[in-house]
Each structure stands twice: as structure tokens, then as C-alpha cells.
Amino acid sequence: MAESKPSSSAAGAKSNVRRFIVFMLFITVVINYVDRSSLSIAAPHIVDELGLSSVQMGFIFSAFAWAYSPLQIPGSFLVDKVAPKVLYPIIIGAWSLFTFMQGTAGSMWQLIIFRLGVGASEVPSYPMNNRIITTWLPEKERATAVGIYISGQYVGLAFLAPVLVWLQSEFGWRFMFYTTGGISILWALGFWILYKDPMKSRANAEEIDYIRQGGGRPEWLKKQHDPQSAQTDVVPFSRLAKSRKLWGLVIAHMGETCANWFFLTWFPIYLVKYRHIEFIKVGFMATLPFAAAWCGVLLSGYISDKLLKKGFSLTFSRKAPIITGLLLATTIIGANYVDSPTLIVVFMSVAFFGSGLAAISWSVVSSIAPVNLTGITGGIFNFVGTSMGILVPILIGFLVSDGNFSPALIFVGCMALLSIFSWTVIMGKIERVQ
């Protein structure tokens, strides 16, 4: 039988440790994305100091994904095998060190090597987030939780971009990397101290039962405790690999991540070099789309779980905000037809708000993944999606090499339409692969 915990509450009220766990994931994602995307803030200064072309900068931007994308599948096997308390602090510490080292770079190739290191180190991070959410959260709370921690990727740049710009202006772009990398190393230690799996945590019996009855997996692989129950959850990898639901999901993710890669790489350069906005102003103007995306992802998770609690199907509850967001993301093309900095940022903010609405697709991974293949499902999902991190920065570099950024924005908008097609035609009903 499944392991149980004695109740710590005489009144039978459940504890809320799972909320603290979601907060920890939020902090981790903020740090993750500040380290991942701080290069885009430093890029205008790096281009000037090292004399790099747009094509060379495109290769530097994409170097992160050269390691991050192809290592998703082998790296995600670790997520199913190694406990979060052990694996997560190790990978946080590793990517933090490579972030720090970017401040020492003196050439294009050194930057590429350090970016490869950041990408390789971050490989298990999002599949690990998904494992933790599957472990700690019932189904009806997952979209909200995913929305909260994914919002961290926008908070980092929405509210910290001005701080990063200020650090550069006062102390130089190298010092910015030293600061972000050093803070991240401290969080690796903090995560190791604070995180515990449900059965080893302060969560009482009522909270554990609430998680379990709602579809969570507080014991992770239940076959360790209830072999007969676990057998029904075990799905061979070959069945998963042939699933139309999986491929519909990952193709949709591939399309919806294009806007993310644009904003995380080329957006500041687009404003400075192609729209001729002063760099100091960019530090504040660039925060608005990220703030909009932050609002979008929080709103999407809340709406999705609210629809589910009101009795709508899981399929409708998840797809409705995602598809709405993707439709809004196509408005990025409108920036091609205005010259006012204010209107440019308005179009960018609406588009990134839509991208935020679509960002809860990670909650669907938890809904379709066989319990014994949660990590690898997340790895496949992230592999196909983040492969765009290789294509998008390089392709944009070539598309804008003649000084015209319009084709790049059209490309990003069209990829949102591809994602809508996959969600509506390929994906089908959202349910666990059996």
C-alpha cells in the first residue's frame, strides 16, 4: 500500500507546503532566465567592443540552444532517475558558473563556448520543474502553478532589465555577468537546503491525501509502494513516441516559442540598431513586453484552472487561453507598419502578452505523460520546442542582414499560426497516454 504520513493537525486541516514549493520554482525560473537572457541586454555593448556582425551575433545567441536542445532527451532521463534535491542544485550551480565566465570572454568563440555551457547545464531544468509539479500538485491546481513559475521567465527581464542596464552603465557588461552568476550560485545552495519531496517534507497527511486524490504523485513512482497500482501507469517508450498527442503538443510548442526566442535574443538590438532608440530608454521600454507576458501567463493559468473547476473539460480549459494567446501573438507583425517608439512597444507588448497566455502548455505535459515517463516526455517536448532556439536567432540574423527587420517579425507571427493549427488539428483531446 502507498506510504502514509501521520497527521500533524488535530483539526484535520491540510498544510500548504506545496505553495512554498511553487514559490521556490518561481525563484529558480527567475534566476534561470536572467542567466539565460542577460546576454541580450549586454549584446549592443558586446557588438561594439568585439566588433561583431549581425550574423556572428546570431550564432552567439543560438549557441545556448546548440547544447540545450539536442541534450534534452538524454538529459531528461536523469529527471526520472535522480531526486530533485540532488540534481537541481548541481545544475543551478553549473549554469551559474558558466554565466559568471561570460564576463571574462574576449572573443566570439569564447562567448560561444560559455553559452554552450549555460545551455548544457540548464537541460534538465524545465523537465525537473514538471516532475516537481506532478509530484506536488493535484491536476486542478497545475495550470495556475505552471503559470506562476513560468511567469518567472518574464519577471526576470520585466523588472530586472533596468537593474541590468544600470549595472552595465555604471560598471560595464562584464560586471553584470559576474553579479548574475554569483547570485545564482548562492541560490543553488539555497535550493539544496530548502527543497524536500512530499513524503519527507513538513506536508501533513491531509495535504498528502489531497495531492494524491487530485492526481498528484507524492510518492513519485508508486510502484515502490503499490506495485499492483503502478503497473497500470507503466507505458512503454515506443507507445509514447508514436502518440499523436505528443507530437501535436511539441509541434505546437515549437511554434509558440518563436516569440520567446525573439524577445530573449534580438529584441534589445531590434530597438537600438533597427529602430534607433537610445540604449538607456531601451532598458525601460523593453520591460513593458515582458511585464505584459508576465500578466498573460498568470492570467492564463488562473483562467484555465477556473474553467476546469467550473466543470469544463480539461481539453477546453487548457486550449482556450492558449489559442487565444497565439492569435494575439500574431500582432507582432503590426510593428512593421508603425514608426512611433510607443506604438512599436504597444504591438510588442500585445504580442508577448499573447505569448504569455500560451505559455501554460507545460501543464498539458503533466496531463498526457505516462507517470513512468514524465521526465522524458518533458524532454521530448522541450527538445522540439527549443530547437527553435537554434533556428530563430540564426535565421533572424540572415533575414535582417540587409538592414530590414520586417521579414523577421513576419516569420515569428506565422509560426504562431502553425502552433494554432497543431493545437486544433493535430493534438486532439488532452488525456494521459495509456
Side-chain angles (χ1 to χ4, degrees):
M1 296 295 293
E3 179 182 347
S4 61
K5 294 183 68 171
S7 174
S8 59
S9 172
K14 66 179 181 295
S15 56
N16 290 299
V17 179
R18 66 195 184 283
R19 295 178 181 174
F20 178 71
I21 297 300
V22 173
F23 174 73
M24 287 183 64
L25 292 182
F26 169 79
I27 296 297
T28 304
V29 172
V30 170
I31 289 172
N32 181 301
Y33 264 74
V34 167
D35 288 349
R36 181 185 301 195
S37 58
S38 54
L39 178 66
S40 68
I41 298 294
H45 289 291
I46 293 174
V47 166
D48 290 340
E49 182 174 324
L50 301 185
L52 302 175
S53 69
S54 66
V55 173
Q56 288 175 315
M57 203 64 214
F59 278 100
I60 293 170
F61 280 141
S62 70
F64 171 91
W66 296 352
Y68 187 72
S69 183
L71 291 177
Q72 279 295 318
I73 295 176
S76 295
F77 278 109
L78 291 174
V79 175
D80 287 325
K81 303 297 182 183
V82 183
K85 186 176 180 66
V86 175
L87 182 59
Y88 225 160
I90 292 173
I91 65 175
I92 294 171
W95 87 56
S96 303
L97 179 61
F98 283 112
T99 298
F100 185 94
M101 293 298 293
Q102 286 176 99
T104 69
S107 69
M108 167 187 168
W109 290 109
Q110 286 180 332
L111 280 170
I112 286 176
I113 289 171
F114 296 142
R115 291 295 289 175
L116 286 169
V118 175
S121 303
E122 289 191 11
V123 163
S125 57
Y126 265 67
M128 181 62 77
N129 294 342
N130 193 54
R131 168 174 171 168
I132 292 171
I133 286 296
T134 305
T135 302
W136 271 98
L137 273 295
E139 181 71 66
K140 64 183 179 181
E141 293 184 3
R142 285 181 192 165
T144 300
V146 169
I148 290 172
Y149 80 70
I150 286 185
S151 74
Q153 69 190 41
Y154 307 115
V155 167
L157 288 180
F159 301 107
L160 297 181
V163 177
L164 298 180
V165 169
W166 177 81
L167 283 173
Q168 279 191 105
S169 300
E170 293 295 320
F171 306 105
W173 62 271
R174 297 180 187 277
F175 182 80
M176 182 192 71
F177 285 119
Y178 299 150
T179 302
T180 56
I183 292 173
S184 302
I185 290 171
L186 292 177
W187 179 243
L189 178 62
F191 194 96
W192 178 73
I193 293 171
L194 295 172
Y195 181 82
K196 292 180 175 60
D197 284 327
M199 305 307 296
K200 298 178 181 179
S201 72
R202 294 181 293 105
N204 62 14
E206 287 76 17
E207 184 174 15
I208 296 296
D209 289 342
Y210 174 75
I211 294 168
R212 186 186 297 119
Q213 291 170 12
R217 298 285 179 172
E219 300 91 359
W220 190 232
L221 290 180
K222 284 182 64 177
K223 63 183 179 181
Q224 297 174 357
H225 308 286
D226 188 357
Q228 184 175 1
S229 173
Q231 284 181 343
T232 63
D233 292 329
V234 175
V235 174
F237 179 75
S238 60
R239 176 72 59 83
L240 174 67
K242 296 175 182 177
S243 169
R244 177 175 174 175
K245 298 184 186 303
L246 174 67
W247 293 110
L249 181 61
V250 296
I251 292 171
H253 188 53
M254 181 177 68
E256 69 199 22
T257 56
C258 283
N260 273 4
W261 287 112
F262 162 70
F263 280 100
L264 293 173
T265 56
W266 278 100
F267 181 50
I269 290 183
Y270 166 71
L271 295 180
V272 174
K273 300 292 185 181
Y274 295 87
R275 289 300 194 161
H276 309 295
I277 300 173
E278 294 180 11
F279 183 76
I280 293 297
K281 289 183 180 179
V282 166
F284 296 94
M285 295 181 71
T287 65
L288 297 178
F290 286 94
W294 174 63
C295 293
V297 71
L298 289 177
L299 184 62
S300 183
Y302 172 79
I303 291 173
S304 181
D305 280 346
K306 195 74 172 178
L307 290 171
L308 191 60
K309 291 174 183 177
K310 284 183 175 294
F312 289 92
S313 69
L314 180 64
T315 300
F316 179 81
S317 299
R318 299 302 190 233
K319 286 186 179 184
I322 290 173
I323 293 173
T324 301
L326 290 167
L327 288 171
L328 290 175
T330 63
T331 63
I332 196 172
I333 298 173
N336 288 332
Y337 304 101
V338 296
D339 295 319
S340 164
T342 300
L343 290 177
I344 291 169
V345 173
V346 167
F347 274 108
M348 292 291 169
S349 298
V350 171
F352 214 20
F353 172 80
S355 183
L357 285 175
I360 61 164
S361 52
W362 268 105
S363 66
V364 181
V365 176
S366 295
S367 300
I368 73 166
V371 67
N372 64 307
L373 297 174
T374 300
I376 191 59
T377 304
I380 295 171
F381 173 77
N382 223 21
F383 164 68
V384 178
T386 58
S387 65
M388 302 310 293
I390 298 174
L391 173 63
V392 171
I394 294 176
L395 182 57
I396 289 179
F398 281 103
L399 288 174
V400 307
S401 58
D402 63 352
N404 180 11
F405 216 94
S406 296
L409 298 187
I410 292 172
F411 164 72
V412 174
C414 288
M415 291 303 293
L417 293 176
L418 171 66
S419 186
I420 292 172
F421 175 82
S422 190
W423 278 110
T424 56
V425 177
I426 302 176
M427 175 68 186
K429 183 179 180 181
I430 296 176
E431 59 186 357
R432 194 171 305 282
V433 176
Q434 299 294 329

